[in-house]
Amino acid sequence: MKDIATVSRTNEILDKYNLKAKKKFGQNFLIDANTVEKIAKNACDKDHITIEIGPGIGSLTQKLAKYSKEVISYEIDSSLIPVLKETLGDLDNVTVIEEDFLNTDLGKASYHDEEIVVAANLPYYITTPILFKLFESDLKIKCISVMVQKEVADRFKASVNSKDYNALSVIVQHSYDVSILMNISKNVFNPKPNVDSAVIVFKPKTKKYVKDEKEFYEMVKMAFTQRRKTLFNNLKEHFDNEKIKKMYETLGLKDSIRAQEIDLDTFIRIYEVLYED
């Protein structure tokens, strides 16, 4: 079975099906087999099901199947389904689901009770919602490996008071150990994007710092609702004013403080006060 992630094979497939990458889906097809091999080898193992989001024409899927017990891929673009039936047709451990992953009821997924890994090549516009969906799910995730724009990857390790520091930064740093597997040149894509990418790996931390992670995530997102607003003004839409005032007094926070000025430890303490029994 020929590698899909080559210039010649990709062009052959695109020409055969008269396909062009669709901007509305953020499509860019990988055309470097070595890059795809490395991502797949590090993303999964033979003991786990791999969930892939956005297989495209199957470049990464082909390699994920090599290293996984089973691959379940979600593809939103209906025009790519017949392509995937051809390119992945010889692989008996791959299932392609034509569905927007964001609309998937993960609680009813066939793999819900199994330990899984996740792999994806995520376009910029969908990165945050996809990751939030995974983080907030109760899936048994061993590892998440996603390819994103390099500037997006940098946000996951952003420090307090930096321009990239946001709700996702806080949530990731609370619940996951984060590392960058590799940087990827824009030259290994067809069409070539404007920026380089990176593969970032998330592994769940074993220690839990809050009693209910979903509640904590929601509170952090509330705090960052509007960056220019103070923490108080963002939280007052969701909590009783007296409770917020008590939290300010207990933690000695200044009235003008904004979410981007608050570190992870302080967010945990804010949560403990606001959600105390």
Side-chain angles (χ1 to χ4, degrees), residues 53 101 118 130-137 139 141 144:
I53 304 160
F101 182 77
V118 179
I130 289 287
L131 288 174
F132 269 129
K133 185 177 179 77
L134 291 168
F135 295 157
E136 293 170 352
S137 75
L139 294 176
I141 300 174
I144 301 171

Side-chain angles (χ1 to χ4, degrees), residues 56-70:
I57 61 173
S59 305
L60 178 58
T61 323
Q62 181 186 47
K63 297 299 183 182
L64 293 174
K66 178 180 174 182
Y67 295 104
S68 302
K69 178 173 73 173
E70 180 185 355

Side-chain angles (χ1 to χ4, degrees), residues 73-273:
S73 296
Y74 289 87
E75 178 52 61
I76 191 175
D77 186 357
S78 59
S79 69
L80 292 177
I81 301 303
V83 181
L84 291 165
K85 285 181 179 178
E86 177 194 333
T87 59
L88 306 175
D90 293 336
L91 300 173
D92 59 8
N93 64 336
V94 175
T95 301
V96 177
I97 299 174
E98 184 185 343
E99 186 175 15
D100 181 349
F101 182 77
L102 288 174
N103 294 334
T104 301
D105 184 348
L106 296 177
K108 296 180 179 178
S110 61
Y111 48 82
H112 178 266
D113 296 322
E114 297 195 46
E115 191 173 43
I116 62 168
V117 296
V118 179
N121 176 8
L122 296 176
Y124 175 80
Y125 80 97
I126 207 76
T127 299
T128 297
I130 289 287
L131 288 174
F132 269 129
K133 185 177 179 77
L134 291 168
F135 295 157
E136 293 170 352
S137 75
D138 57 359
L139 294 176
K140 298 174 182 177
I141 300 174
K142 180 187 178 186
C143 181
I144 301 171
S145 300
V146 293
M147 188 189 312
V148 297
Q149 287 186 6
K150 182 68 171 64
E151 64 182 72
V152 177
D154 292 338
R155 290 179 191 167
F156 297 121
K157 288 195 166 188
S159 56
V160 64
N161 275 319
S162 69
K163 65 180 179 64
D164 291 328
Y165 188 69
N166 60 15
L168 195 57
S169 310
V170 177
I171 288 169
V172 166
Q173 291 168 26
H174 169 269
S175 301
Y176 293 84
D177 290 317
V178 185
S179 61
I180 292 179
L181 173 65
M182 59 192 295
N183 293 316
I184 300 176
S185 168
K186 58 189 175 184
N187 296 316
V188 301
F189 293 94
N190 175 14
K192 184 166 69 173
N194 295 323
V195 296
D196 291 334
S197 298
V199 176
I200 194 158
V201 178
F202 305 88
K203 293 188 176 180
K205 291 180 177 178
T206 53
K207 184 176 180 180
K208 303 296 182 184
Y209 297 92
V210 297
K211 64 180 181 181
D212 189 321
E213 285 188 320
K214 289 184 180 180
E215 276 185 344
F216 178 71
Y217 294 168
E218 285 303 314
M219 186 209 73
V220 172
K221 288 193 287 184
M222 293 170 195
F224 280 92
T225 304
Q226 294 189 48
R227 287 181 69 89
R228 292 188 178 185
K229 281 190 174 184
T230 63
L231 175 68
F232 187 95
N233 284 332
N234 278 329
L235 292 181
K236 73 178 183 179
E237 304 296 325
H238 308 277
F239 295 94
D240 178 75
N241 282 7
E242 291 305 312
K243 194 155 198 172
I244 301 173
K245 288 177 182 177
K246 178 188 174 184
M247 179 269 291
Y248 268 70
E249 292 172 5
T250 301
L251 302 184
L253 300 179
K254 60 183 181 181
D255 293 343
S256 61
I257 198 166
R258 291 176 168 79
Q260 56 266 35
E261 300 174 81
I262 301 171
D263 62 19
L264 172 59
D265 288 342
T266 305
F267 267 118
I268 292 171
R269 294 172 67 203
I270 290 171
Y271 167 81
E272 290 169 345
V273 176

Side-chain angles (χ1 to χ4, degrees), residues 14-32:
L14 297 180
D15 289 344
K16 178 176 179 178
Y17 287 89
N18 194 27
L19 288 173
K20 289 185 179 179
K22 295 178 181 176
K23 285 187 178 181
K24 70 176 181 176
F25 293 138
Q27 291 173 345
N28 299 94
F29 305 118
L30 275 163
I31 52 173
D32 183 83

